[in-house]
Amino acid sequence: EGRFVASGGALVQAGGSLRLSCTASGFTFDDYAIGWFRQVPGKEREGVGCLSSRDGSTYYTDSVKGRFFISSDNAKRTVYLQMNNLKPGDTAMYYCTGVQPWYSTAYSVFPLLYSGSRGQATQVTVTS
C-alpha cells in the first residue's frame, strides 16, 4: 500500500487558482488510479475526482466539474489537481490516495478510493 503526500495548499482569494501535487512512496506509477478528496472539520469527506492511468480517463464530482482538472506526470511520479475559479466552499483539507494495479476507468474506481489510505493532507483556504 502506498503512502501519499499532498502539497501546494495555500490561502487564495475567490476566483483564483491553485495547483496541488500528490506524490507517493511504495507506489508504482504504472497501471494505477489516484483520487483527490477533501474534508472540512465536522463534515463527511467529499471525493473531488480521480484519474486512471490505464486509459487516461478522469472523473469529477459535480461541484468541481469544469473548474478542477487532474493530470499526471509519471516521470515525476506526481499527480496534480489544478483548481480554477476557486470558491469559499472549496475551503478544506485536501488529500490524495490511490490504488494499484488498476486496469479500468476513473469512473469505476472512484467509489473504491474512499477506502484508500489518507496520507498527508494540505490546507486550501479560499476567501471571499
Side-chain angles (χ1 to χ4, degrees), residues 10-119:
L11 176 69
V12 62
Q13 286 190 328
S17 297
L18 206 57
R19 189 177 77 164
L20 306 183
S21 298
C22 172
T23 58
S25 58
F27 190 84
T28 304
F29 275 71
D30 184 29
D31 289 330
Y32 65 90
I34 284 183
W36 286 93
F37 291 77
R38 63 187 182 185
Q39 190 164 21
V40 176
K43 292 188 176 181
E44 292 289 325
R45 61 179 168 172
E46 177 186 24
V48 174
C50 63
L51 172 147
S52 168
S53 73
R54 184 69 171 179
D55 64 353
S57 62
T58 53
Y59 175 81
Y60 302 96
T61 194
D62 286 346
S63 61
V64 306
K65 279 182 182 176
R67 300 189 298 122
F68 289 15
F69 302 93
I70 298 174
S71 63
S72 64
D73 186 334
N74 291 338
K76 294 184 177 180
R77 301 170 58 81
T78 303
V79 171
Y80 302 100
L81 177 65
Q82 177 66 43
M83 305 186 293
N84 301 323
N85 190 21
L86 282 161
K87 304 176 181 180
D90 296 318
T91 295
M93 288 290 288
Y94 285 72
Y95 68 95
C96 55
T97 189
V99 297
Q100 68 171 164
W102 185 253
Y103 302 121
S104 188
T105 66
Y107 175 78
S108 58
V109 76
F110 190 62
L112 302 178
L113 289 171
Y114 276 83
S115 61
S117 59
R118 172 170 169 151

